[in-house]
Structures are given as structure tokens and as C-alpha cells.
Amino acid sequence: MAKIIGGVTTSHIPAIGNAMANKLENDPYWKRFFDGYEPVKAWLEDQKPDIAIVVYNDHGLNFFLDTVPTFAIGCADEYVNADEGWGLPSSASFQGDTEFSWHIAESLINQNFDMTTCQEMLVDHGCVVPMNLMWRHLPEWPCQLIPLAVNTVQHPLPSAKRCYDLGKALRVAIESYPEDKKVVIIGTGGLSHQLQGERAGIIDVEFDLQCMNYIINDPEKMTAYSNSEIMRKAGTEGVEVIMWMVMRGALSPNVNVLHKHYHAPISNTGAGVVLLVDAKD
Ligand code: DHB
Ligand code: FE
């Protein structure tokens, strides 16, 4: 049976990708940020998941504003990264698991989450930067990828509550797959940031820390926030935090925190890392 071994959250800022490409991890500006990933990397190295389900938003590479699915899942054997114009070198392609993807898609749709299924899907920095943060500078990707895209770009967006419920349905989908697969769920994006307009660059550290606390300990409280409230506090792109709720919904009601780290600002963004596993009770 497929099993969720844990959940990770991370920001997916393109500048992080550039820093990794240029091996700037020990640069004074970046060191504390990257040090925050060491325990997660060590855990992944030890646990060796077979599949990473990466919950991210596409920023215009695969879906443009003319057609944006609310929730989309990759159902392909390969996912290709492409130049987004950030000066980032494109990463090696990722191997998918078509059969597992279709199983998840079918289960989610049976549970009333009407997923868009993508048999071709370019993956952007939202997915690739987290993969690189987890498995950096390796000769090849050590696990397969299933990308799950959430619309956090073109309004109307799904709510934090809907994302949390999607995570719960994702757990049912994974646990009903008969093959033995170790799955890690990676929720990406956030925390507070706004990339344009008068409030560009705003960061609300207190709100970020409260979100991390609610998501870990009391996710129902996080579901009480509307997207407008999140954007007022955390900036327009800060709403990406709703994708952390997909990861959280896929874990058990009580979780153990194996690691938690926050750093701000990094490239005008509040950046949080959390590693959670199901509590035994
Ligand atoms: C930036 C882009 C992102 O997609 C994000 O989540 C955070 C920051 C940026 O361009 O700086
Ligand atoms: Fe983003």
C-alpha cells in the first residue's frame, strides 16, 4: 500500500534557484536560509521516498491567464522544466508515475475534487526550486515527481479550507493505491510577499509565524482566514500559503514537528520550512 511518510513546506522563490545554481549557499546573505534545510535534507536522505507530490502554483509557464485550472494534476511519465526568463539554468527533467497519477486523479474526482488532468505539463520554479532545495546538486533526481498545481494567480482562487479538504482527499487517494510507495508531500509557496504595486516588498513576520503555528497545531483556525484576509496581511502573493494546507490536510490531525525554520527577508519574502510526520496517537 502507498503511504505518506511526511510533509514538508517551503518557499519557492526563483532567486533561491539562482543562488543554488551559483553555489551561493555559504554566502552571508544566504547561509542562514539554506542552513534551515539541512535537517529536511538529512531526513529525506534517510527516508528515501519513492515519490514527491509537489503542491505548487504555475506562474505562467504551463498555464497562462487565458486558461487556469483551479486544481491540476500531472499524469505523465516525464515533467520538463523550461526557461522562465529568470536567467535560471533549466533543471533535468523529472520522472513521473503515470499509473499512480491516474489513480490519484480518479480517487480525487470520485471524492468530488474535479481535477484537471495533464498528460503534458511543464513545471516551473514553483515546483523545481523546492525539488532542488530537497535534493541539491545530485547527479540525478532520487525520486519520482507528481506535480499538483493549485491556482493562486488568477482570481477567483480556492480557499484555504478547500485546499485543506483537498489534502484530506489526497490522503485517501494515496492510501488506496495498492503498490508499496513511500510518498512525501511538499507544500510550496509563501510566506508573506507581494511582488508589485504600492505594497511590494511587505513582510508580516508575526502573521507568517502565526500561520506556521496554526497550520501545524490548529489547521482549522487557518481555514477560517479568507483569501482577502491573507492577502491583506501577507501580500497578494502571500496567498500561496494556502498550498501548505494541502500538505497539512494529507497528514493526520495531530502531527509531530521534526523541524521548523523561518527566515526573513530572503529576496523580499518571508520563508518558512516545516517538516511534519503523523503523530502516532
Ligand atoms: C518571487 C516569485 C515567486 O513565485 C515567489 O513565490 C516568491 C518570490 C520573486 O519573483 O521574487
Ligand atoms: Fe510563487
Side-chain angles (χ1 to χ4, degrees):
M1 199 181 90
K3 182 177 176 315
I4 297 170
I5 60 167
V8 179
T9 66
T10 175
S11 298
H12 60 219
I13 313 164
I16 304 168
N18 247 320
M20 292 185 286
N22 294 307
K23 303 236 167 78
L24 294 178
E25 284 96 330
N26 288 314
D27 182 276
Y29 179 79
W30 289 103
K31 185 164 174 23
R32 184 174 181 278
F33 168 81
F34 280 109
D35 283 351
Y37 285 83
E38 289 306 314
V40 183
K41 283 173 65 197
W43 180 82
L44 288 165
E45 172 76 34
D46 179 54
Q47 295 287 318
K48 299 196 181 356
D50 300 299
I51 309 258
I53 299 184
V54 178
V55 185
Y56 75 109
N57 64 295
D58 181 89
H59 301 73
L61 180 70
N62 193 73
F63 306 116
F64 201 59
L65 298 180
D66 56 341
T67 312
V68 185
T70 303
F71 298 123
I73 184 166
C75 298
D77 273 330
E78 188 189 23
Y79 301 99
V80 175
N81 177 223
D83 185 7
E84 295 174 62
W86 299 98
L88 273 176
S90 300
S91 86
S93 298
F94 303 87
Q95 210 197 340
D97 181 336
T98 312
E99 210 177 302
F100 197 8
S101 282
W102 282 116
H103 169 86
I104 293 171
E106 188 170 356
S107 171
L108 290 177
I109 289 169
N110 283 338
Q111 295 176 77
N112 298 319
F113 284 90
D114 301 322
M115 308 299 290
T116 296
T117 50
C118 303
Q119 296 185 62
E120 282 186 21
M121 199 176 190
L122 291 176
V123 285
D124 77 359
H125 69 268
C127 177
V128 173
V129 165
M131 289 296 284
N132 268 310
L133 274 165
M134 305 301 143
W135 294 284
R136 210 173 314 152
H137 308 315
L138 296 177
E140 56 188 45
W141 297 114
C143 72
Q144 295 177 321
L145 168 71
I146 296 181
L148 196 164
V150 175
N151 171 26
T152 64
V153 171
Q154 170 97 312
H155 294 266
L157 313 180
S159 64
K161 162 97 171 76
R162 184 72 175 150
C163 288
Y164 184 50
D165 290 344
L166 173 63
K168 291 182 186 173
L170 184 60
R171 184 183 182 106
V172 172
I174 292 166
E175 291 187 340
S176 59
Y177 193 59
E179 272 188 50
D180 286 337
K181 297 276 181 193
K182 291 195 281 184
V183 181
V184 63
I185 317 277
I186 305 179
T188 80
L191 288 169
S192 55
H193 65 295
Q194 173 152 336
L195 300 178
Q196 72 283 304
E198 279 173 19
R199 299 201 312 152
I202 70 152
I203 293 183
D204 187 332
V205 173
E206 214 173 297
F207 183 70
D208 284 349
L209 295 177
Q210 188 191 61
C211 286
M212 287 171 84
N213 180 26
Y214 282 174
I215 290 169
I216 295 167
N217 298 309
D218 198 350
E220 299 290 339
K221 267 207 178 127
M222 192 68 205
T223 64
Y225 279 119
S226 69
N227 286 337
S228 300
E229 284 170 317
I230 295 174
M231 286 187 287
R232 235 173 262 132
K233 292 272 194 191
T236 43
E237 282 75 40
V239 78
E240 288 176 350
V241 71
I242 61 173
M243 296 183 292
W244 292 27
M245 292 296 280
V246 180
M247 179 286 285
R248 185 62 184 88
L251 295 190
S252 57
N254 291 319
V255 287
N256 292 332
V257 183
L258 298 191
H259 179 63
K260 182 176 158 190
H261 186 260
Y262 179 79
H263 185 84
I266 206 80
S267 192
N268 288 330
T269 300
V273 186
V274 175
L275 168 57
L276 306 176
V277 292
D278 284 359
K280 291 277 178 281
D281 57 7

mmCIF file of all heavy atoms in Angstrom, residues 11-15 57 59 86 125-126 189-190 193 195 237 240 267-269, ligand 1:
data_model
loop_
_atom_site.group_PDB
_atom_site.id
_atom_site.type_symbol
_atom_site.label_atom_id
_atom_site.label_comp_id
_atom_site.label_asym_id
_atom_site.label_seq_id
_atom_site.Cartn_x
_atom_site.Cartn_y
_atom_site.Cartn_z
ATOM 1 N N SER A 11 9.201 27.758 0.761
ATOM 2 C CA SER A 11 9.032 28.794 -0.257
ATOM 3 C C SER A 11 9.615 28.289 -1.571
ATOM 4 O O SER A 11 10.377 27.321 -1.576
ATOM 5 C CB SER A 11 9.766 30.071 0.157
ATOM 6 O OG SER A 11 9.236 30.573 1.354
ATOM 7 N N HIS A 12 9.270 28.975 -2.670
ATOM 8 C CA HIS A 12 9.786 28.517 -3.967
ATOM 9 C C HIS A 12 10.339 29.685 -4.804
ATOM 10 O O HIS A 12 10.263 29.665 -6.030
ATOM 11 C CB HIS A 12 8.709 27.726 -4.723
ATOM 12 C CG HIS A 12 7.452 28.501 -5.015
ATOM 13 N ND1 HIS A 12 6.191 27.954 -4.941
ATOM 14 C CD2 HIS A 12 7.253 29.787 -5.394
ATOM 15 C CE1 HIS A 12 5.287 28.862 -5.264
ATOM 16 N NE2 HIS A 12 5.915 29.982 -5.555
ATOM 17 N N ILE A 13 10.887 30.671 -4.131
ATOM 18 C CA ILE A 13 11.380 31.903 -4.775
ATOM 19 C C ILE A 13 12.419 31.595 -5.870
ATOM 20 O O ILE A 13 13.384 30.872 -5.616
ATOM 21 C CB ILE A 13 12.057 32.796 -3.708
ATOM 22 C CG1 ILE A 13 11.185 32.924 -2.461
ATOM 23 C CG2 ILE A 13 12.430 34.144 -4.283
ATOM 24 C CD1 ILE A 13 11.916 33.459 -1.241
ATOM 25 N N PRO A 14 12.259 32.162 -7.074
ATOM 26 C CA PRO A 14 13.244 31.896 -8.135
ATOM 27 C C PRO A 14 14.678 32.270 -7.744
ATOM 28 O O PRO A 14 15.627 31.582 -8.153
ATOM 29 C CB PRO A 14 12.779 32.781 -9.304
ATOM 30 C CG PRO A 14 11.432 33.269 -8.959
ATOM 31 C CD PRO A 14 11.154 33.029 -7.527
ATOM 32 N N ALA A 15 14.834 33.331 -6.948
ATOM 33 C CA ALA A 15 16.193 33.742 -6.553
ATOM 34 C C ALA A 15 16.914 32.624 -5.795
ATOM 35 O O ALA A 15 18.153 32.535 -5.835
ATOM 36 C CB ALA A 15 16.134 35.006 -5.702
ATOM 37 N N ASN A 57 2.039 26.395 -7.404
ATOM 38 C CA ASN A 57 1.248 27.100 -8.411
ATOM 39 C C ASN A 57 2.124 27.374 -9.618
ATOM 40 O O ASN A 57 3.298 27.714 -9.482
ATOM 41 C CB ASN A 57 0.679 28.410 -7.865
ATOM 42 C CG ASN A 57 1.755 29.410 -7.494
ATOM 43 O OD1 ASN A 57 2.533 29.163 -6.575
ATOM 44 N ND2 ASN A 57 1.819 30.515 -8.209
ATOM 45 N N HIS A 59 3.266 29.716 -12.525
ATOM 46 C CA HIS A 59 3.329 31.183 -12.606
ATOM 47 C C HIS A 59 3.276 31.673 -14.050
ATOM 48 O O HIS A 59 3.800 32.729 -14.374
ATOM 49 C CB HIS A 59 4.610 31.695 -11.942
ATOM 50 C CG HIS A 59 4.777 31.340 -10.494
ATOM 51 N ND1 HIS A 59 5.084 30.066 -10.073
ATOM 52 C CD2 HIS A 59 4.688 32.090 -9.378
ATOM 53 C CE1 HIS A 59 5.177 30.065 -8.747
ATOM 54 N NE2 HIS A 59 4.949 31.270 -8.310
ATOM 55 N N TRP A 86 14.239 33.904 -15.945
ATOM 56 C CA TRP A 86 14.878 34.398 -14.728
ATOM 57 C C TRP A 86 16.406 34.289 -14.826
ATOM 58 O O TRP A 86 17.100 34.569 -13.867
ATOM 59 C CB TRP A 86 14.437 33.603 -13.500
ATOM 60 C CG TRP A 86 12.985 33.655 -13.201
ATOM 61 C CD1 TRP A 86 12.039 32.727 -13.530
ATOM 62 C CD2 TRP A 86 12.280 34.696 -12.493
ATOM 63 N NE1 TRP A 86 10.807 33.123 -13.083
ATOM 64 C CE2 TRP A 86 10.923 34.321 -12.445
ATOM 65 C CE3 TRP A 86 12.687 35.896 -11.900
ATOM 66 C CZ2 TRP A 86 9.967 35.104 -11.828
ATOM 67 C CZ3 TRP A 86 11.726 36.676 -11.289
ATOM 68 C CH2 TRP A 86 10.383 36.284 -11.259
ATOM 69 N N HIS A 125 9.371 27.274 -11.588
ATOM 70 C CA HIS A 125 10.146 27.412 -10.346
ATOM 71 C C HIS A 125 9.356 27.003 -9.107
ATOM 72 O O HIS A 125 9.938 26.571 -8.121
ATOM 73 C CB HIS A 125 10.689 28.841 -10.195
ATOM 74 C CG HIS A 125 9.636 29.890 -9.932
ATOM 75 N ND1 HIS A 125 9.014 30.602 -10.932
ATOM 76 C CD2 HIS A 125 9.086 30.342 -8.770
ATOM 77 C CE1 HIS A 125 8.145 31.450 -10.406
ATOM 78 N NE2 HIS A 125 8.165 31.310 -9.096
ATOM 79 N N GLY A 126 8.016 27.125 -9.171
ATOM 80 C CA GLY A 126 7.201 26.758 -8.018
ATOM 81 C C GLY A 126 7.425 25.309 -7.607
ATOM 82 O O GLY A 126 7.356 24.969 -6.428
ATOM 83 N N GLY A 189 5.424 27.604 -1.631
ATOM 84 C CA GLY A 189 4.963 28.986 -1.787
ATOM 85 C C GLY A 189 5.001 29.762 -0.490
ATOM 86 O O GLY A 189 5.403 29.243 0.551
ATOM 87 N N GLY A 190 4.547 31.026 -0.556
ATOM 88 C CA GLY A 190 4.569 31.880 0.621
ATOM 89 C C GLY A 190 6.002 32.157 1.071
ATOM 90 O O GLY A 190 6.935 31.921 0.313
ATOM 91 N N HIS A 193 4.685 37.827 0.911
ATOM 92 C CA HIS A 193 5.370 38.585 -0.138
ATOM 93 C C HIS A 193 4.372 39.190 -1.100
ATOM 94 O O HIS A 193 3.281 38.656 -1.300
ATOM 95 C CB HIS A 193 6.413 37.744 -0.885
ATOM 96 C CG HIS A 193 5.906 36.584 -1.698
ATOM 97 N ND1 HIS A 193 5.285 35.481 -1.156
ATOM 98 C CD2 HIS A 193 5.960 36.346 -3.034
ATOM 99 C CE1 HIS A 193 4.993 34.614 -2.110
ATOM 100 N NE2 HIS A 193 5.392 35.124 -3.278
ATOM 101 N N LEU A 195 4.748 41.159 -4.965
ATOM 102 C CA LEU A 195 5.766 41.427 -5.985
ATOM 103 C C LEU A 195 5.530 42.731 -6.751
ATOM 104 O O LEU A 195 6.401 43.174 -7.478
ATOM 105 C CB LEU A 195 5.852 40.259 -6.977
ATOM 106 C CG LEU A 195 6.219 38.904 -6.362
ATOM 107 C CD1 LEU A 195 6.236 37.814 -7.424
ATOM 108 C CD2 LEU A 195 7.566 38.966 -5.651
ATOM 109 N N GLU A 237 0.824 37.873 -3.123
ATOM 110 C CA GLU A 237 1.392 36.550 -3.415
ATOM 111 C C GLU A 237 1.556 35.715 -2.136
ATOM 112 O O GLU A 237 1.795 34.508 -2.205
ATOM 113 C CB GLU A 237 2.737 36.680 -4.141
ATOM 114 C CG GLU A 237 2.616 37.009 -5.624
ATOM 115 C CD GLU A 237 2.226 38.465 -5.901
ATOM 116 O OE1 GLU A 237 2.734 39.364 -5.199
ATOM 117 O OE2 GLU A 237 1.400 38.701 -6.791
ATOM 118 N N GLU A 240 -0.155 32.326 -1.481
ATOM 119 C CA GLU A 240 0.366 30.993 -1.821
ATOM 120 C C GLU A 240 0.375 30.048 -0.612
ATOM 121 O O GLU A 240 0.422 28.828 -0.780
ATOM 122 C CB GLU A 240 1.792 31.102 -2.380
ATOM 123 C CG GLU A 240 1.863 31.692 -3.778
ATOM 124 C CD GLU A 240 3.303 31.871 -4.269
ATOM 125 O OE1 GLU A 240 4.260 31.713 -3.476
ATOM 126 O OE2 GLU A 240 3.466 32.177 -5.452
ATOM 127 N N SER A 267 15.069 37.639 -0.533
ATOM 128 C CA SER A 267 14.509 38.143 -1.789
ATOM 129 C C SER A 267 13.086 38.685 -1.586
ATOM 130 O O SER A 267 12.148 38.283 -2.275
ATOM 131 C CB SER A 267 14.526 37.023 -2.836
ATOM 132 O OG SER A 267 14.251 37.546 -4.099
ATOM 133 N N ASN A 268 12.923 39.580 -0.598
ATOM 134 C CA ASN A 268 11.627 40.246 -0.340
ATOM 135 C C ASN A 268 10.511 39.310 0.097
ATOM 136 O O ASN A 268 9.331 39.626 -0.078
ATOM 137 C CB ASN A 268 11.142 41.011 -1.590
ATOM 138 C CG ASN A 268 11.972 42.250 -1.834
ATOM 139 O OD1 ASN A 268 12.485 42.845 -0.892
ATOM 140 N ND2 ASN A 268 12.116 42.620 -3.089
ATOM 141 N N THR A 269 10.871 38.164 0.648
ATOM 142 C CA THR A 269 9.863 37.160 1.018
ATOM 143 C C THR A 269 10.151 36.614 2.419
ATOM 144 O O THR A 269 11.309 36.479 2.797
ATOM 145 C CB THR A 269 9.896 36.008 -0.015
ATOM 146 O OG1 THR A 269 9.600 36.529 -1.302
ATOM 147 C CG2 THR A 269 8.893 34.932 0.307
HETATM 148 C C1 DHB B 1 9.159 35.567 -6.240
HETATM 149 C C2 DHB B 1 8.416 34.726 -7.083
HETATM 150 C C3 DHB B 1 7.608 33.747 -6.527
HETATM 151 O O1 DHB B 1 6.892 32.892 -7.289
HETATM 152 C C4 DHB B 1 7.504 33.622 -5.150
HETATM 153 O O2 DHB B 1 6.672 32.673 -4.674
HETATM 154 C C5 DHB B 1 8.249 34.453 -4.313
HETATM 155 C C6 DHB B 1 9.071 35.422 -4.862
HETATM 156 C C7 DHB B 1 10.050 36.606 -6.828
HETATM 157 O O3 DHB B 1 9.994 36.809 -8.045
HETATM 158 O O4 DHB B 1 10.812 37.225 -6.089
#
